[in-house]
Amino acid sequence: MEHIVIIGNGISGVTAARHIRKHSDKKITIISAESDYFFSRTSLMYVYMGHMTFEHTKPYEDWFWEKNRIDLKKGFVKTIETATKTLIFSNDETLEYDKLIIATGSKPNKFGWKGQDLKGVQGFYTKQDLENLEIYAPNNEVCKRAVIVGGGLIGIELAEMLSTRNIPVTFLVRESSFWNGVLPDGESDMINKHIKNHHIDLRLSTNVKEIVSDENGKVKSVIIEETDEEIPCDFVGLTAGVSPNIDFIKLSNIETNNGILVNRFLETNITDIYAIGDCAEQHEAIGNRKPIEAVWYTGRMMGEVLAQTICGNKMAYNPGHWFNSAKFFDIEYQTYGWVNSNKNKLDYETHFHWKHANDTKCITIAFDKNTNRFLGINTLGIRMRHEVFDRWLTEKRDIDYIVNHLSEANFDPEFYKKYELDIKNAYQNQLQIV
Ligand SMILES: Cc1cc2nc3c(=O)[nH]c(=O)nc-3n(C[C@H](O)[C@H](O)[C@H](O)COP(=O)(O)OP(=O)(O)OC[C@H]3O[C@@H](n4cnc5c(N)ncnc54)[C@H](O)[C@@H]3O)c2cc1C
């Protein structure tokens, strides 16, 4: 019987396994160095915040795997011998495969800062990171201050997590405004204020120079590059982005760039070896998408698509319109289609921006200034319906249509009734339409 081996038990690997089982009787083995069972990485923050236990982050009961004849193996793969189709583990055990799916995810970036490997200095990605956070930042007596380095989605999550335990947080952000490589200026500015309103010591345009050790090899402070200021702290979170977790692949003849290079069928350069999820890099980006997409739903989509191919129904990865969502403390963020930051705006792209007076809700709609075609929407503090925007993007609607039909896409009709006129007036004023 054909043996499908999957390295990585995250959303990508597990989705592939589940769908291969749905469509076939093949032998399936999932390998993980991290955890016995699949868990939801995006829920890790809620464990620290006390909303759920780690057990609750497991989407399937422990019996599910055996019942579905999916073998689970704990271990770290150190080498892939592609010529003999053999995996070699760190304890020198071996495992043979007929087809191999690499779904090894990401790892937090470390940029060679002095002190980056001290005790109490870590990223926030793995189950072990969560366990270490409980050791170094369980409360504000053990951790009198935490410093977070890097202003992205995981950085702001970590700031929120620590602040729920009343641990003072200094948040160092290299950019001049929070996540302004992605968010348009109006939104980025709103989030700056929101972070400060949560009593986070947000330092913009600020880099770390050095992380300083105490006599036991544990962090005691951080020194700021621009000012040489020394900030005493007991914990440092490194959240300056993630990159594909593929160091061990680089020893093999599987082609890599930043990630494992794949074509539209998620095939690598080696026959019978595929890569999916955070660790995969498209040879050629799909539309405006990035060649590496480190988000949950694309990992799931890749897993589903690859399962079809492996079960004999060859299928290309075609993710459709971009969307994403996140939370910045209390403010929900949603994006559909493409809304670029002011820094990265396309030459034909222009924005309509509406902001609520209380500074916690706003809408930014991107459109083509030559044709008025709708390109995308961002909302902060307002929940929109995915399927509606997905349809409007496919139908290539124009900006007028979007503004006049926004209520159809809104989850909260009461909110919309109240602000519809205000939004339409703002639109007419900004675009001088009479
Ligand atoms: C705190 C946090 C919050 C997030 N929130 C969101 C969100 O709100 N929305 C969203 O879309 N995305 C979010 N993400 C990103 C999302 O979680 C990832 O895109 C997704 O989990 C990646 O899944 P994956 O299956 O590709 O890899 P992973 O989940 O990283 O799984 C890979 C697994 O492979 C194992 N592995 C790696 N190398 C080896 C080896 N050599 N041998 C054995 N095992 C190995 C790893 O230990 C790991 O268990 C978040 C991420 C984090 C860290």
Side-chain angles (χ1 to χ4, degrees), residues 34 39-49 52 54 57 124-130 157 161:
E34 183 182 8
F39 67 92
S40 162
R41 200 170 292 294
T42 56
S43 303
L44 280 182
M45 72 180 293
Y46 301 109
V47 177
Y48 181 83
M49 285 164 46
M52 50 167 70
F54 183 77
T57 67
F124 185 63
Y125 191 89
T126 62
K127 179 171 186 276
Q128 286 73 30
D129 290 336
L130 177 70
E157 271 192 10
M161 290 160 62

Side-chain angles (χ1 to χ4, degrees), residues 144-205:
K144 301 209 163 40
R145 174 165 295 276
V147 173
I148 297 174
V149 181
L153 294 178
I154 297 178
I156 197 167
E157 271 192 10
L158 194 52
E160 178 179 359
M161 290 160 62
L162 293 160
S163 65
T164 60
R165 296 204 187 177
N166 296 319
I167 296 172
V169 175
T170 296
F171 193 6
L172 309 183
V173 173
R174 185 182 55 171
E175 292 76 25
S176 57
S177 183
F178 177 78
W179 218 37
N180 68 353
V182 178
L183 297 179
D185 287 351
E187 297 174 7
S188 168
D189 188 54
M190 181 178 283
I191 303 302
N192 290 337
K193 290 181 191 138
H194 192 64
I195 294 171
K196 288 182 189 159
N197 286 343
H198 279 82
H199 310 292
I200 303 293
D201 171 26
L202 174 66
R203 311 278 189 98
L204 298 171
S205 304

Side-chain angles (χ1 to χ4, degrees), residues 26 30 36 64 78 97 112 142 147 167 195 244 256 261 299 305 328 383 385-386 404 420 427:
K26 296 177 197 293
I30 306 182
D36 292 331
F64 173 89
K78 70 171 181 192
Y97 61 85
V142 173
V147 173
I167 296 172
I195 294 171
T256 61
L261 286 167
V305 166
F328 305 119
R383 296 188 78 197
R385 291 180 195 279
H386 178 190
N404 287 314
E420 185 166 12
Y427 174 62

Side-chain angles (χ1 to χ4, degrees), residues 60-101:
Y60 303 97
E61 302 283 346
D62 294 351
W63 50 256
F64 173 89
W65 308 98
E66 200 182 328
K67 178 161 180 266
N68 288 288
R69 288 169 295 120
I70 297 173
D71 295 341
L72 304 180
K73 179 165 174 54
K74 190 104 182 266
F76 181 79
V77 177
K78 70 171 181 192
T79 322
I80 303 173
E81 274 187 6
T82 58
T84 56
K85 292 193 162 182
T86 307
L87 303 182
I88 301 165
F89 289 85
S90 52
N91 62 1
D92 291 327
E93 258 184 74
T94 58
L95 182 72
E96 288 179 9
Y97 61 85
D98 295 305
K99 289 199 165 87
L100 177 67
I101 303 176

Side-chain angles (χ1 to χ4, degrees), residues 82-315:
T82 58
T84 56
K85 292 193 162 182
T86 307
L87 303 182
I88 301 165
F89 289 85
S90 52
N91 62 1
D92 291 327
E93 258 184 74
T94 58
L95 182 72
E96 288 179 9
Y97 61 85
D98 295 305
K99 289 199 165 87
L100 177 67
I101 303 176
I102 305 171
T104 52
S106 298
K107 59 178 172 25
N109 287 332
K110 289 185 172 183
F111 290 112
W113 295 294
K114 189 164 177 221
Q116 67 184 16
D117 295 318
L118 292 171
K119 288 184 222 156
V121 181
Q122 62 170 75
F124 185 63
Y125 191 89
T126 62
K127 179 171 186 276
Q128 286 73 30
D129 290 336
L130 177 70
E131 289 159 1
N132 285 329
L133 191 61
E134 284 291 356
I135 295 171
Y136 293 105
N139 54 50
N140 60 13
E141 273 163 33
V142 173
C143 179
K144 301 209 163 40
R145 174 165 295 276
V147 173
I148 297 174
V149 181
L153 294 178
I154 297 178
I156 197 167
E157 271 192 10
L158 194 52
E160 178 179 359
M161 290 160 62
L162 293 160
S163 65
T164 60
R165 296 204 187 177
N166 296 319
I167 296 172
V169 175
T170 296
F171 193 6
L172 309 183
V173 173
R174 185 182 55 171
E175 292 76 25
S176 57
S177 183
F178 177 78
W179 218 37
N180 68 353
V182 178
L183 297 179
D185 287 351
E187 297 174 7
S188 168
D189 188 54
M190 181 178 283
I191 303 302
N192 290 337
K193 290 181 191 138
H194 192 64
I195 294 171
K196 288 182 189 159
N197 286 343
H198 279 82
H199 310 292
I200 303 293
D201 171 26
L202 174 66
R203 311 278 189 98
L204 298 171
S205 304
T206 303
N207 286 274
V208 66
K209 179 177 184 183
E210 183 185 338
I211 305 166
V212 183
S213 177
D214 69 7
E215 59 284 1
N216 301 314
K218 187 184 157 291
V219 56
K220 73 164 190 191
S221 64
V222 162
I223 299 177
I224 302 295
E225 175 77 49
E226 287 73 14
T227 57
D228 273 335
E229 180 191 357
E230 183 165 5
I231 302 173
C233 60
D234 300 293
F235 175 82
V236 175
L238 301 178
T239 57
V242 297
S243 44
N245 188 8
I246 58 163
D247 288 347
F248 76 108
I249 308 281
K250 301 211 161 167
L251 308 170
S252 75
N253 54 349
I254 301 167
E255 206 186 338
T256 61
N257 181 36
N258 292 320
I260 301 169
L261 286 167
V262 294
N263 62 16
R264 290 292 194 269
F265 296 99
L266 307 162
E267 297 165 326
T268 68
N269 62 315
I270 306 289
T271 310
D272 292 335
I273 302 188
Y274 308 83
I276 55 175
D278 280 24
C279 70
E281 174 173 349
Q282 286 285 328
H283 263 290
E284 278 167 44
I286 302 175
N288 291 333
R289 286 172 173 263
K290 297 212 172 80
I292 299 175
E293 294 186 314
V295 286
W296 182 265
Y297 76 89
T298 51
R300 199 180 50 210
M301 279 180 178
M302 289 187 221
E304 275 187 50
V305 166
L306 180 57
Q308 291 284 344
T309 297
I310 286 193
C311 296
N313 177 26
K314 195 162 180 176
M315 194 179 274

